[in-house]
Amino acid sequence: MSFIEASSKKKKKKGMGAARFFRKVQSCCTFTLNVSPVVLLSLILAWAFWAYHFRLCLYLIGNQAILQGCLYMIFFEPLFGLTVWSFYKASRTSPGNTIDTAKQGESEELDIEEGYQDNHDSEYVQLLPSHLPARNDANHLSETDDQSNSEQGTSSSPAILSLDDNNAPIRLASSSSLSITVKRDGAKRYCQKCKMDKCDRSHHCRSCKRCILKMDHHCPWINNCVGFYNYKFFYLFIVYGSWFCIYVFSTTLPLTIRIMKQPMGIFEIDFNWLFLCFVSVVFGLFLIPFSLFHTRQLCKNRTTIEFYEKANYRLGSRQKRMGSRRQMIDIMRSRYFNPWELGTRTNVEQVLGKSTMTWFLPIGIPSGNGHTFPLNDHAYDTLAIDEVDDVY
Ligand SMILES: [Zn+2]
Ligand SMILES: [Zn+2]
């Protein structure tokens, strides 16, 4: 080996080492940046717990306001507990993504048709519109799916359309074959980064580097995406967080004002009380409008992305036959059209669960599978989904 070759190899090795080092530094910085808001919020919550109990309530108890101090504590506990519980669940629960679903599907050793036959009577009818009786046929589903895939010349990823009795996912059909949303040119929605088809309501998150099911937004405060499986927890977190801020502010401020009005009261004021007021105002001003917005979105069965962005919907063949002027139109682009709105009660049930007993607790999983969603009748009429080929 010549001297020049050896030195160029050495330089190359050095360059690769430097690149690896910078990549490590970059990933370290990214990790710190991502985790910082969660750590900050956790510290604020822990401090609020300490300050409220040991600086505010104990002050009241020690100054002949025992009942007031105890009552403040009693109402504080459930609000704080529910806020922290929802926060933990929202940040630790995966919103669901197409890559994990595909991997899960591959690892499952379930036979597609067998799985479908075992479950089609219950789950499948819920997932697809009620006025499509012919589509509740197992053979038909398989044929249509195969046909659709072969026609498009692609191998679609398996989707989970149903859960068995033990909540284990069952592969039934490709996700894309059931999509009603498409790209601007009418082609299937496909993620170049995940190298997978996108199902309805899923979007690619740059932070998570995944296509998230029923993606709402990426929240830095929980360092997680808000999507299909954790939207309920996130929603409860912001709602309880709002009530928590209102409660802390409304109990701390009057006491602070009362003490300040007393002679020499200014010297008795605890810095922690003032900071409790300040933090509850800052977070309350952010959380209250945010939770009201999400309550509206929940009742409308609409994600934040759907609220802000236009979507392209595939039109069925009936729409194309309606007139020569419409012959070429097979896409409808709209921001206000909401095919998933099923009435307030059903919309809420889809996210919070069927049982009202568990609506306000951060437990349970949402209805459905995150890949396909029931459509309303208006969507069927508007999109003219009246034929099997138009749906699958
Ligand atoms: Zn993606
Ligand atoms: Zn994300």
Side-chain angles (χ1 to χ4, degrees):
M1 191 192 291
S2 70
F3 174 74
I4 299 167
E5 270 181 341
S7 80
S8 74
K9 261 192 174 177
K10 215 174 176 181
K11 271 184 186 172
K12 212 175 172 184
K13 221 176 175 182
K14 223 177 175 180
M16 276 168 74
R20 207 176 299 144
F21 173 75
F22 281 117
R23 264 205 303 276
K24 268 191 179 173
V25 171
Q26 195 186 17
S27 68
C28 243
C29 292
T30 313
F31 176 78
T32 312
L33 274 175
N34 289 342
V35 166
S36 300
V38 183
V39 173
L40 180 68
L41 199 55
S42 305
L43 288 175
I44 289 172
L45 283 167
W47 165 81
F49 182 85
W50 171 82
Y52 198 85
H53 280 83
F54 297 100
R55 306 302 300 187
L56 190 101
C57 294
L58 281 188
Y59 172 86
L60 287 170
I61 291 168
N63 283 275
Q64 289 155 357
I66 299 168
L67 183 67
Q68 192 183 2
C70 289
L71 282 175
Y72 276 14
M73 266 196 212
I74 289 167
F75 289 108
F76 181 89
E77 310 299 354
L79 262 181
F80 181 80
L82 286 165
T83 306
V84 172
W85 188 11
S86 309
F87 169 60
Y88 175 78
K89 290 279 282 190
S91 61
R92 300 299 299 167
T93 306
S94 166
N97 63 73
T98 51
I99 293 177
D100 285 353
T101 304
K103 279 183 190 165
Q104 211 173 6
E106 279 163 21
S107 65
E108 291 284 332
E109 291 297 322
L110 291 167
D111 178 83
I112 294 174
E113 286 192 356
E114 206 177 288
Y116 174 72
Q117 280 162 359
D118 288 346
N119 293 273
H120 74 283
D121 287 340
S122 54
E123 294 288 338
Y124 189 67
V125 177
Q126 283 178 24
L127 295 165
L128 287 179
S130 55
H131 53 285
L132 295 171
R135 294 161 207 176
N136 293 333
D137 175 69
N139 298 328
H140 182 78
L141 173 69
S142 312
E143 278 168 20
T144 316
D145 188 29
D146 291 342
Q147 207 176 24
S148 147
N149 286 343
S150 61
E151 272 171 17
Q152 286 158 3
T154 56
S155 59
S156 299
S157 59
I160 297 167
L161 284 183
S162 179
L163 296 174
D164 69 12
D165 293 336
N166 301 318
N167 280 340
I170 292 170
R171 282 183 300 157
L172 293 172
S174 75
S175 56
S176 59
S177 63
L178 289 157
S179 297
I180 59 160
T181 49
V182 287
K183 290 204 288 190
R184 266 191 182 205
D185 58 0
K188 280 197 304 183
R189 291 171 74 234
Y190 182 79
C191 180
Q192 296 292 346
K193 285 170 185 147
C194 299
K195 306 283 178 214
M196 293 187 79
D197 292 331
K198 284 182 183 177
C199 49
D200 282 335
R201 312 182 86 177
S202 70
H203 296 274
H204 187 84
C205 174
R206 273 182 288 179
S207 304
C208 300
K209 298 181 175 60
R210 293 272 192 282
C211 276
I212 305 297
L213 303 180
K214 200 188 171 187
M215 183 177 169
D216 193 273
H217 68 286
H218 184 89
C219 178
W221 290 103
I222 59 168
N223 189 26
N224 199 1
C225 247
V226 180
F228 183 71
Y229 287 106
N230 67 345
Y231 184 78
K232 177 187 178 178
F233 309 141
F234 173 78
Y235 175 71
L236 290 180
F237 167 55
I238 55 173
V239 169
Y240 287 129
S242 303
W243 283 109
F244 182 67
C245 289
I246 292 168
Y247 179 76
V248 169
F249 181 74
S250 58
T251 51
T252 313
L253 188 71
L255 178 74
T256 311
I257 293 171
R258 186 155 56 87
I259 302 288
M260 276 176 95
K261 279 182 179 170
Q262 289 174 2
M264 305 298 283
I266 191 86
F267 298 107
E268 232 182 289
I269 293 290
D270 192 325
F271 168 76
N272 288 287
W273 302 353
L274 296 174
F275 204 60
L276 273 174
C277 285
F278 174 72
V279 170
S280 56
V281 166
V282 170
F283 278 89
L285 284 176
F286 165 72
L287 281 174
I288 295 165
F290 200 49
S291 58
L292 289 174
F293 169 76
H294 275 280
T295 304
R296 169 103 179 130
Q297 298 306 97
L298 174 73
C299 294
K300 290 275 171 195
N301 200 349
R302 196 169 46 192
T303 65
T304 304
I305 292 174
E306 287 158 5
F307 178 77
Y308 284 110
E309 285 184 6
K310 286 181 180 176
N312 304 299
Y313 300 95
R314 188 156 53 101
L315 295 177
S317 57
R318 182 159 60 84
Q319 189 76 13
K320 282 183 266 180
R321 286 201 302 268
M322 280 173 77
S324 56
R325 203 169 62 85
R326 284 186 165 173
Q327 285 280 290
M328 300 303 289
I329 303 170
D330 56 359
I331 296 296
M332 187 182 83
R333 185 167 167 78
S334 173
R335 181 183 145 189
Y336 303 103
F337 179 65
N338 185 357
W340 294 288
E341 188 183 351
L342 304 165
T344 308
R345 171 89 191 188
T346 316
N347 293 342
V348 172
E349 278 179 356
Q350 280 208 340
V351 175
L352 301 185
K354 292 259 180 218
S355 166
T356 44
M357 299 285 284
T358 57
W359 273 13
F360 304 103
L361 292 175
I363 52 172
I365 54 165
S367 311
N369 53 37
H371 286 79
T372 53
F373 301 88
L375 306 173
N376 57 39
D377 288 343
H378 177 63
Y380 267 80
D381 291 341
T382 311
L383 302 178
I385 307 171
D386 63 337
E387 293 180 14
V388 174
D389 288 354
D390 294 327
V391 180
Y392 301 125

